[in-house]
Structures are given as C-alpha cells and as structure tokens.
Amino acid sequence: MRKMKGLSLLLVCLLFLITACSGGGAKQAETPPATPAPSTETATETPKEEPAEPEAEPVDLGGRVIKLAAWWDLKPAGTTAGEKARLEKIAEIEKKYNCKIEFVNVPFEEYMNKFTTSVLAGEPFADIVQLEYKSALPAIMKGQILPISEFTTDQNNINNEADLQTKYPSIGGGEYGFDNPTSIGLGLHYNRDLFKKNGLPDLQELYAKGEWNWDKLMEIAKQATKDTNNDGKTDVWGFSGWAIDAVKHFTAANGGKIVDDSNGKEGLTDPKTLEAAEFVNRLYNVEKVVKVKSGNKTNWEETNTFKDGDVAMFTAAEWMLGDITFEVGVVPIPSGPQGSAETTYANTAASAKFIPKGVKDPAIVYQIYEETFDIPPTEEYPGQDYLESIYTNQEDIDMIREHIAGTGVITVDEAYTDYPTGAFIEDIIVNNQSVAATAEKYKQQAQAAVDKMGK
C-alpha cells in the first residue's frame, strides 16, 4: 500500500526583490566601503543564495470542530510514549488551525443508521468516519463517500519513516479508504502446550521447511483428535471455529473469493470456492476433527471454542487471545492446491477511514487529520506496542509481520442483501448436501444479489 500526503492548503505568496537604482544627483555615502585587495589565488564565484520561501500561513478555521468517528474511542489513551506524543500534537494542531478535534464514539448497532441518515440530510455526523468495507461498499455505490482523489494527492516519495497514513485497498472500483499503516493479520493459531504434550510437530518448523499445506493440517488435526482418558468420548480436538468463516478463510487461501466484487460476479461456483468448501466439509463431517461446543456447526460463538484449551488449531484474530491460559503459536492458514502465499485469509472485518460526501473542505480536514500523526516515531514498526502486548514469543510477531500481514483478501459478501453465503454453507456442513449441487442451487440468487447493488 502506498503512502499519501495532503493537498496544499494555501497559495504561497511570491517574493519580489525591489532594488533602487542610484541616479546622477543621488547623495554619495560619506565613507565609501574599502575595496578588497586582489587575491593572488584563482577566484571562484560564490553562487548567490536563493531566498527561502516562507511557509504558508495555516488556515484559520474559526473554531470549527473536526469530528472523527468510530464504534470505539479513537482518542489516544495517553498510556504509551506514542499516544502521549500524539495528544500533544493534537493540541498543537488545534492551536495552529484554530479548530477543535473531537472523537465521536457511536455504538456499533447504531453506527450505520447514523451515518446514512446524516449523509442523506447533507450534514454528515462526522468529518472522518471508520467504516467496515462491507458497509462502505453500498455507501460508495450510492455516492455517499468521497474518493481519495477529492481530498489528497498521492506522493510516492513520502518519507517512509513518517508512517502517517496509507491508502487502503480499492473498493467499488476506486480508492476511498485510508488509515494508519499496520502490521497485523489473521492467522491459524495453535495451542503450543497441547502440541508439546501430544508430541505434535511445531507448525512454524513445518512452515519453514515448506511442508505446511492442507494435507498436513488435516494429518495433524487427525493426530490431535483423541480420547485421552479412555472414557469413550473425544476430549482433545484438532480444529475449531465458525464454519462460515472457515469456508471463507480456506477459499481465500485457495486463491478464491466468495464473491468477486471487482468484476460483479458471484463466487460460490468458482472451483476454488468449491475446493475450499469440500476441505472444510471433510474436517467437520468426514474426519470429524472439529470441536463443536454449542452443538451448532454454523454458530458464530464457535469462534471462541478454542479458549477451552482442548483444541489444537483454530483461526482467530489476535485481539481474541487476551484471556487464554495457554501458550499459542501462529502460522499463515496454509495455501490450498490453487492458492499461494500472497493470499492466506479472508479479511471479513476489514475497515478504514473514509470522508463522507457533504463534508466541508475535505482537503483541509484530511490534512489536519494526517498532521496529527506527524510525530517522532516511538516504535520500530507500526503496531509494535500492540503486538508485543499480545504475543510473548518474538517468533510469532515475526511470523505475523513477515508472512501474514498484508495477505488478507477483503471479503464483502455481507454487503450484498440476500447473498446466500450462510445458506450455502449450512446446506453443506449441517445438512450434508453435495458441494457442487449446493453451489448450483444458490448461483442464481447470489448473482442477482450482486446485480441488484450494481443497479
């Protein structure tokens, strides 16, 4: 992703050097300057210094409030050196532009309604808004979000150490989102304690040797699934997760997408999707290596089942690990037969900052926001403090930064009303229907959902 720099805010005044020519009747100086003695060395002409251009005066916003909104508190907490530095910078920017920067925290369930109604009324509730991509797409299609080109220009030679803002992936056929550079991504985590106890091979070692693939994942999941106390019931499992997310993740790791939003095509019948759905179905219904705590394979609460400590492998975001009682490791979700290391997981919750249509002087708003991040770096890389607060092993942080971050496939099937992802997976995983036949069953509905938004 490329860095961005804001548009110039003001015209810089031109400087003129005014020299007065002496006429014949001009008064002579009483003491003329001494003439320097000629030098015996070869003289070199000293180049004249160009006068420096003065900095443009900052725009006076007359006390305007610049609002930044999300469904959490975006205001720096002030607990780290970087947060303290940014708070100081915000105060400096407020004085510089005669404005006030306000952080608006709106509950998630109320957020999109507030966004839509305020934009339609011509008075966006905030100047910069955090939006999930799946929510931003419909808004973009309705012309409710400004493209980046309307408030900033791209500068490829921006100082890489500045770490100000960066363009986020395109959506709806254009570039709209921006945010802080990041070093995080969703991986396949594994219970290191359980692996050691059961003599299972470390996944990072397998990855380093190029042996980490779908077949190896299935093999280890089968080895891990067992009845350890001989009571006739399985008490250690190879895998857990939300089946709907699992199909999306393995589709991405196989080079596919549940819906091809760039080309306006459904993705359920894509051979890459079909192959991923077959693999997940094998985990659940053929090899039976998945722990289903709730009894419902498609219950989203299964995302937390791994926290019981009796599951070997699971897909999870880093923020979900805060209350676990065992040591974890992480590797990329392994590539499928048609996949590559370029795409390893489905980024179903991707979000970024956007500027709504109707915001006054969006270029100035963006410039002010970006300047609040123009502080001396306090981390060796973006997100260092955060990652080190989650992971205790440097190997895991390195794995995320070097092999997982930036490999997410932004998945926005939820943006399309009536897109049948859930029904498709329910029929396969719960009702044991044929993958190919199920894809054909929902193909027309899926494409109609895509076409509807396009219109």
Side-chain angles (χ1 to χ4, degrees):
M1 293 181 284
R2 296 174 294 178
K3 302 295 174 85
M4 305 189 299
K5 197 67 180 174
L7 292 168
S8 299
L9 301 179
L10 298 173
L11 297 175
V12 180
C13 297
L14 299 176
L15 298 178
F16 296 94
L17 300 177
I18 303 173
T19 54
C21 299
S22 300
K27 183 179 179 180
Q28 300 293 318
E30 294 179 1
T31 309
T35 303
S39 171
T40 56
E41 298 178 0
T42 304
T44 346
E45 187 177 351
T46 304
K48 295 180 179 179
E49 291 186 3
E50 294 292 332
E53 290 185 351
E55 290 187 10
E57 288 294 321
V59 174
D60 186 337
L61 294 182
R64 174 180 171 180
V65 178
I66 305 294
K67 296 182 179 181
L68 315 176
W71 49 95
W72 70 90
D73 192 357
L74 289 172
K75 186 175 182 179
T79 56
T80 67
E83 290 171 344
K84 291 175 183 177
R86 187 158 177 256
L87 286 172
E88 292 176 0
K89 189 68 176 183
I90 288 171
E92 176 187 319
I93 294 299
E94 289 177 329
K95 183 177 180 181
K96 175 180 177 181
Y97 290 97
N98 187 19
C99 68
K100 178 69 177 176
I101 296 175
E102 181 180 316
F103 298 89
V104 182
N105 185 352
V106 177
F108 184 80
E109 60 273 13
E110 302 172 13
Y111 196 87
M112 283 311 297
N113 182 59
K114 194 172 184 69
F115 168 84
T116 302
T117 54
S118 65
V119 172
L120 288 176
E123 298 180 355
F125 80 101
D127 300 277
I128 294 178
V129 295
Q130 188 86 26
L131 293 177
E132 289 187 316
Y133 263 55
K134 56 195 174 191
S135 299
L137 181 58
I140 288 169
M141 302 300 285
K142 295 172 185 175
Q144 296 172 350
I145 295 177
L146 297 178
I148 281 175
S149 59
E150 290 201 18
F151 54 83
T152 187
T153 56
D154 181 39
Q155 298 289 336
N156 292 327
N157 59 348
I158 189 171
N159 181 359
N160 288 330
E161 294 181 359
D163 286 330
L164 300 179
Q165 294 291 290
T166 188
K167 287 182 181 180
Y168 267 42
S170 62
I171 179 176
E175 294 177 322
Y176 295 85
F178 59 93
D179 218 323
N180 306 89
T182 182
S183 298
I184 61 175
L186 187 146
L188 187 136
H189 288 82
Y190 58 105
N191 185 327
R192 273 202 171 103
D193 293 344
L194 194 151
F195 265 64
K196 293 174 183 176
K197 181 178 179 181
N198 291 277
L200 299 171
D202 187 81
L203 299 190
Q204 289 184 1
E205 293 178 7
L206 293 176
Y207 182 81
K209 293 188 290 186
E211 298 176 6
W212 182 230
N213 52 41
W214 283 8
D215 288 340
K216 184 60 70 173
L217 185 154
M218 186 68 74
E219 176 187 322
I220 293 174
K222 290 166 65 176
Q223 291 173 358
T225 303
K226 60 181 65 177
D227 172 12
T228 60
N229 59 8
N230 299 314
D231 66 352
K233 298 179 182 179
T234 301
D235 48 48
V236 176
W237 303 86
F239 187 79
S240 73
W242 183 25
I244 292 176
D245 255 7
V247 172
K248 292 181 182 182
H249 289 318
F250 284 102
T251 295
N254 201 32
K257 298 180 74 173
I258 293 291
V259 58
D260 184 354
D261 53 291
S262 299
N263 297 307
K265 292 182 61 178
E266 60 84 21
L268 300 183
T269 57
D270 185 330
K272 296 175 181 178
T273 305
L274 299 178
E275 199 165 27
E278 290 279 13
F279 180 76
V280 175
N281 184 54
R282 186 180 164 202
L283 285 169
Y284 278 87
N285 297 319
V286 179
E287 306 298 348
K288 303 182 187 302
V289 296
V290 182
K291 179 180 179 181
V292 182
K293 184 177 181 179
S294 68
N296 181 357
K297 298 172 184 176
T298 55
N299 187 338
W300 69 268
E301 292 179 352
E302 294 297 331
T303 56
N304 290 315
T305 295
F306 73 89
K307 294 182 179 181
D308 292 343
D310 55 1
V311 174
M313 297 175 288
F314 49 93
T315 54
E318 81 295 328
W319 56 266
M320 300 170 66
L321 306 176
D323 55 352
I324 60 173
T325 58
F326 53 86
E327 183 182 359
V328 296
V330 64
V331 288
I333 295 172
S335 297
Q338 302 182 66
S340 71
E342 300 300 314
T343 58
T344 69
Y345 69 96
N347 194 347
T348 59
S351 71
K353 303 291 189 303
F354 298 86
I355 295 185
K357 180 181 179 181
V359 168
K360 182 182 177 182
D361 301 322
I364 296 175
V365 168
Y366 174 78
Q367 178 72 16
I368 288 173
Y369 177 73
E370 186 181 66
E371 282 189 30
T372 68
F373 290 94
D374 193 7
I375 57 178
T378 58
E379 299 178 314
E380 295 177 12
Y381 56 85
Q384 179 184 9
D385 291 340
Y386 176 65
L387 285 176
E388 290 182 352
S389 72
I390 301 291
Y391 296 98
T392 56
N393 295 310
Q394 185 62 40
E395 295 85 359
D396 298 321
I397 294 175
D398 293 342
M399 183 65 68
I400 290 173
R401 293 186 61 219
E402 297 170 13
H403 302 286
I404 297 176
T407 65
V409 176
I410 293 179
T411 307
V412 293
D413 57 294
E414 295 172 66
Y416 300 92
T417 304
D418 299 326
Y419 197 86
T421 305
F424 167 71
I425 297 171
E426 181 90 9
D427 274 1
I428 295 167
I429 304 301
V430 177
N431 301 327
N432 296 307
Q433 300 297 305
S434 159
V435 172
T438 302
E440 286 298 324
K441 174 182 175 181
Y442 290 107
K443 177 180 180 179
Q444 186 175 352
Q445 179 183 341
Q447 189 59 50
V450 176
D451 293 342
K452 183 178 179 180
M453 182 182 290
K455 295 176 183 178

